[in-house]
Amino acid sequence: MQQSQGGHQVVVMDNGAGSIKLGFEGEATPRLVFPNCTAKPKGERQLYVGDALLEARELGGMVLRRPHDRGFMVNYDLERDIWQRGFASLAAAAAAGQLQGMGSGPGGGSSSSKSKAALDCRAYSLLLTEPLFNFDAVRAATEEIVFEEFGFNSLLAAPAPFFSLHHICNIPVTAQPAPQQPLSIPGVPAAAGSAGGQVIDSAEAALATYGAPVRALSAAGVAALTAAKAAGAGVIIDAGFSAAYAVPFFDGQLLPDGVRRLGLGGKALTNLLKETVSYRSLNMADEGLLMERLKDQLCWVSQDAVADLHRSNPLNRSPHRRDVVLPDGVHNLRGYVNPPTAEVVAALSPGGKHHGIATGPWPAKPQHIIDVEKKEAAERAAAGAAEGGSSKQRAGGPSVSDQVLQLNNELFMVPEALFRPSDIGLQQAGMAEVVMQAVAACPPGLAPLLYGQVVLTGGCCNLPGFAARFECELRTMVPSDFELVVLAPQEPELTAWQGASAFAAGDNYWQCVRTKQQYEEQGGGRRDR
Amino acid sequence: MFNQGSGPTRRETRSRKVSQRMAVVDESTRQQAAQSRLDALENDNPDDAPDPFGLGAGDEDDEFVMEESEEDEVDVGRKTRRRKPAAKRRTRGAGEGRAVKSFQRLVEESGMLDAPAGDVNYLSAAAGPSVFYVPRKFCSVCGFLSSYTCSRCGSKYCSRKCFTVHTETRCLKFMA
Ligand SMILES: [Zn+2]
Ligand SMILES: [Zn+2]
């Protein structure tokens, strides 16, 4: 057998339609997380492939190509190119880690390989996530690429929620009863440790990687969660890039009959934001990457959309308004958000009109842009003094040519579509109600166990306010004789990868893989599971 | 292009065609328009023009190219998505490319469209409509709550001001 780097034997890849999470078995976090796409600046020859995009200086005017459509891999060659670069970067990261003594594998430091070498796939097994209900044709093509083009020695492909489930079922109950605890602030996890301080160290460690209950648990809640864990039951929410799934499980097994899918994900939200601002203010049709970043940084889920709509009118007094200075291609390459106006600061301050309301994050203006502006203002002032004052130029402040995109109610009305798809004309139930439909499709006796452990995974769960809104809305729907426990991992986009990493390090892994030899003997495409 | 209130040119071009073909905007047409808008939310790029590369910098040029490419693609939703992979494949080295199948074709070939009732698959897992909430109505111009409906196209508006914007620039263009 060929020598692998750092003693690792399995490459673990969560191949999401939006982003790829790539690393080794047994590690706590992936080595690389990068967009699953290529991007080409308009009118330039340069092409960013996959993780190369992480180093792109600009985000503007990119033409994107993604191997996935609606969550399924449709462009195999494009995906192969993205994987190829990702594997090489993984090998480089592993080699660099080894040099720094960071290699955490059991046989670390066995061979000092060169950092630029491509990953020797023959020395590794590949654990790959796939979408639920993957197509046979896609599976066959995936195996062909994995075995014939990369030459991995074995492969395990299974749906991402399968690995999230593995992660969930291996975490013990940790939350302490705290009945008087109020609803947590959006974005701030209600760590059980702050409630009682009786949580032991290992439980805190588990919480750090896994997640706390959205609402601190009552004694009945702890009992419900304990029962659900004992039965290996619950519902996994996988709110990803292409869709949001509710996946019930029992006895440690996914229940396919109960899976329900809402056809909205991060991609649709980005496009919705893009469409809305293009219609209302500036044409951002070609700014997919920039809009995705703005969505990730600025969008949030309202706890009461109608009330927040009223607060956001008129625009000049809206606490929700954010003025984004768009990239100018010179100093400001990625865009930034202007500081809040004095009026809004006053309204948001203690005693102010909007004090205490949930509002989105406010990223600071990058220091290098402040520096550039100061320098330019000084130059302008000097030039103005020399010329006797030019009427066109103002001293200080942002330059006249800045393109400013005003965002206001879009910031919460776009994510609102996840909870009320019918608002945008999609006749499907929202995030919370999808759970109701999933549970209703399972045997009735399971309902109390399923509601006892609802876990939020997938990148959309990162939206500030998502967990609180989800919990609150679902609570009003679930019959009052059932206890509802909603758990929110701190890095919901990594849950599937973390489960996969642990699974690949476990004893069962090698009994589940399909080896290259089996593939060659049986021919591609067929697999027994 | 960057004027307040002006939408993307290509959308206007497309919408104009829709309105010309269908003078009477009945409910089913409105639903079709809404559906193609939902489909467009899964696009990677604003348009699936055969050659999005090349003319880069000038905004005017871009718009012009988009309009042209729109001419022969009236039905926006699925047709263009099928065309795109073909164009992609040509850019790869000859002979090495695997076929790129559209999602729609994967669904058709998987047989799930003819699957017997009770079969569990991607389509059967689709969440049903809500029983808890009725659709809310928001102004198609500014996004606030609205209580009025345009009698010609069915779009919502909240005030005289927004209605004026709507009738002057957007009516019968099927943009939310
Ligand atoms: Zn309005
Ligand atoms: Zn109208």
Side-chain angles (χ1 to χ4, degrees):
Chain A
M1 202 187 221
Q2 280 78 16
Q3 185 63 51
S4 61
Q5 284 168 321
H8 292 293
Q9 291 180 294
V10 186
V11 171
V12 179
M13 179 158 67
D14 181 6
N15 191 40
S19 71
I20 291 179
K21 282 70 79 177
L22 186 59
F24 294 112
E25 87 276 20
E27 297 190 349
T29 52
R31 298 287 186 108
L32 295 167
V33 179
F34 55 90
N36 197 353
C37 68
T38 65
K40 188 179 185 314
K42 277 198 171 184
E44 287 177 35
R45 298 194 56 159
Q46 194 173 11
L47 177 69
Y48 296 102
V49 177
D51 62 294
L53 208 47
L54 298 176
E55 286 137 39
R57 290 172 68 237
E58 296 186 58
L59 298 168
M62 297 269 205
V63 178
L64 301 181
R65 288 172 66 201
R66 298 186 191 274
H68 285 70
D69 187 6
R70 284 160 175 76
F72 294 89
M73 198 203 302
V74 295
N75 190 332
Y76 311 126
D77 290 328
L78 186 61
E79 187 69 284
R80 182 203 49 202
D81 293 349
I82 294 168
W83 287 358
Q84 189 151 33
R85 197 185 189 286
F87 291 150
S89 299
L90 179 66
Q98 247 175 293
L99 287 177
Q100 292 161 25
M102 282 164 57
S104 55
S110 56
S111 68
S112 58
S113 40
K114 1 174 229 322
S115 62
K116 294 290 178 206
L119 191 75
D120 182 3
C121 296
R122 293 167 301 171
Y124 291 94
S125 176
L126 177 67
L127 188 164
L128 183 66
T129 65
E130 62 179 16
L132 285 159
F133 308 116
N134 200 7
F135 297 101
D136 289 340
V138 176
R139 280 205 189 107
T142 305
E143 289 195 335
E144 190 186 310
I145 295 170
V146 167
F147 288 127
E148 294 180 18
E149 299 201 22
F150 288 109
F152 282 99
N153 63 40
S154 56
L155 168 71
L156 173 67
F162 172 85
F163 299 109
S164 298
L165 168 63
H166 182 76
H167 194 51
I168 290 160
C169 285
N170 286 307
I171 305 288
V173 180
T174 56
Q176 299 297 308
Q180 260 71 59
Q181 188 95 345
L183 196 65
S184 70
I185 302 155
V188 181
S194 64
Q198 313 120 318
V199 184
I200 53 166
D201 282 355
S202 61
E204 262 177 358
L207 274 177
T209 55
Y210 179 44
V214 173
R215 189 194 291 257
L217 298 179
S218 63
V222 171
L225 179 57
T226 307
K229 286 215 172 280
V235 180
I236 294 166
I237 304 301
D238 184 2
F241 189 67
S242 307
Y245 283 93
V247 187
F249 60 97
F250 175 69
D251 200 17
Q253 308 282 318
L254 302 181
L255 302 173
D257 291 15
V259 173
R260 286 296 176 271
R261 169 179 52 84
L262 164 62
L264 282 177
K267 182 186 197 172
L269 294 189
T270 297
N271 280 337
L272 200 56
L273 181 64
K274 195 166 77 173
E275 186 196 278
T276 309
V277 303
S278 295
Y279 182 67
R280 290 185 193 162
S281 43
L282 297 176
N283 186 343
M284 302 298 287
D286 290 329
E287 304 296 338
L289 279 182
L290 180 64
M291 293 313 287
E292 184 168 87
R293 197 160 146 276
L294 288 179
K295 180 205 68 183
D296 291 342
Q297 288 190 344
L298 296 176
C299 278
W300 51 283
V301 175
S302 170
Q303 306 305 306
D304 183 344
V306 171
D308 279 321
L309 263 182
H310 284 298
R311 287 186 191 110
S312 64
N313 191 22
L315 177 69
N316 59 2
R317 281 202 290 273
S318 168
H320 302 315
R321 171 176 166 181
R322 299 290 183 273
D323 285 1
V324 178
V325 182
L326 297 173
D328 59 10
V330 186
H331 300 298
N332 172 14
L333 296 175
R334 299 187 141 234
Y336 61 90
V337 178
N338 262 345
T341 62
E343 206 170 9
V344 169
V345 171
L348 284 169
S349 64
K353 189 182 165 201
H354 297 299
H355 175 59
I357 68 160
T359 185
W362 211 307
K365 192 173 185 173
Q367 185 59 44
H368 75 272
I369 290 175
I370 297 174
D371 294 343
V372 166
E373 277 177 8
K374 273 186 192 152
K375 193 165 149 254
E376 283 180 349
E379 282 166 7
R380 272 200 300 270
E387 291 169 20
S390 155
S391 61
K392 244 186 155 185
Q393 291 180 327
R394 296 174 290 150
S399 62
V400 202
S401 57
D402 279 348
Q403 281 270 342
V404 175
L405 178 66
Q406 289 172 346
L407 297 171
N408 190 24
N409 62 40
E410 303 84 6
L411 294 175
F412 57 93
M413 288 311 287
V414 163
E416 184 72 11
L418 286 173
F419 290 88
R420 301 286 192 92
S422 59
D423 284 355
I424 62 160
L426 179 61
Q427 298 310 323
Q428 284 192 295
M431 286 302 314
E433 196 176 348
V434 167
V435 177
M436 303 291 296
Q437 295 185 359
V439 172
C442 296
L446 294 184
L449 292 170
L450 297 179
Y451 289 128
Q453 180 172 225
V454 180
V455 187
L456 301 176
T457 77
C460 285
C461 299
N462 274 323
L463 284 162
F466 181 99
R469 170 75 178 273
F470 176 87
E471 204 266 357
C472 190
E473 206 166 287
L474 184 54
R475 188 171 289 269
T476 64
M477 296 174 180
V478 173
S480 56
D481 41 341
F482 295 140
E483 277 296 319
L484 173 68
V485 178
V486 179
L487 303 175
Q490 288 178 12
E491 295 175 298
E493 74 282 10
L494 296 184
T495 305
W497 189 91
Q498 287 162 340
S501 166
F503 187 83
D507 299 333
N508 287 334
Y509 178 74
W510 297 100
Q511 290 152 29
C512 303
V513 299
R514 182 160 149 97
T515 65
K516 186 164 191 280
Q517 196 183 355
Q518 285 168 333
Y519 167 81
E520 281 160 357
E521 284 167 9
Q522 296 163 9
R526 248 202 64 231
R527 44 186 287 150
D528 309 305
R529 287 208 290 152
Chain B
M1 179 173 189
F2 286 112
N3 292 336
Q4 176 83 18
S6 79
T9 304
R10 51 175 293 276
R11 291 228 186 253
E12 288 175 12
T13 316
R14 178 199 308 165
S15 329
R16 221 171 287 135
K17 275 191 193 89
V18 174
S19 62
Q20 278 164 10
R21 275 191 303 154
M22 300 147 186
V24 182
V25 187
D26 55 19
E27 186 53 29
S28 78
T29 309
R30 287 176 191 179
Q31 279 175 11
Q32 266 179 29
Q35 186 56 48
S36 40
R37 200 188 133 227
L38 286 173
D39 286 345
L41 291 180
E42 293 301 319
N43 285 350
D44 290 327
N45 296 296
D47 62 326
D48 293 327
D51 179 26
F53 311 121
L55 295 166
D59 289 328
E60 308 240 347
D61 284 353
D62 276 355
E63 285 184 23
F64 191 62
V65 170
M66 284 173 181
E67 268 179 40
E68 271 192 336
S69 68
E70 203 70 5
E71 290 300 317
D72 51 353
E73 296 171 10
V74 178
D75 184 8
V76 187
R78 302 205 158 86
K79 216 176 247 174
T80 44
R81 213 171 288 125
R82 260 186 214 142
R83 190 170 304 187
K84 185 169 79 176
K88 275 181 189 170
R89 194 143 39 102
R90 257 177 268 124
T91 65
R92 292 204 59 84
E96 65 162 320
R98 265 171 294 257
V100 178
K101 287 181 180 172
S102 71
F103 173 77
Q104 206 55 37
R105 236 185 99 197
L106 279 172
V107 169
E108 282 159 16
E109 290 179 4
S110 72
M112 73 171 72
L113 292 171
D114 310 313
D119 190 59
V120 176
N121 57 45
Y122 173 82
L123 292 177
S124 73
S130 173
V131 297
F132 285 89
Y133 302 116
V134 292
R136 295 176 294 192
K137 295 174 173 57
F138 299 101
C139 176
S140 61
V141 177
C142 71
F144 290 106
L145 288 166
S146 73
S147 38
Y148 311 108
T149 305
C150 172
S151 56
R152 280 207 294 175
C153 71
S155 292
K156 304 285 181 281
Y157 61 94
C158 71
S159 60
R160 178 171 292 276
K161 194 176 143 222
C162 286
F163 184 61
T164 307
V165 175
H166 171 75
T167 46
E168 282 176 0
T169 63
R170 288 151 202 200
C171 190
L172 295 174
K173 284 171 188 166
F174 295 110
M175 291 283 300

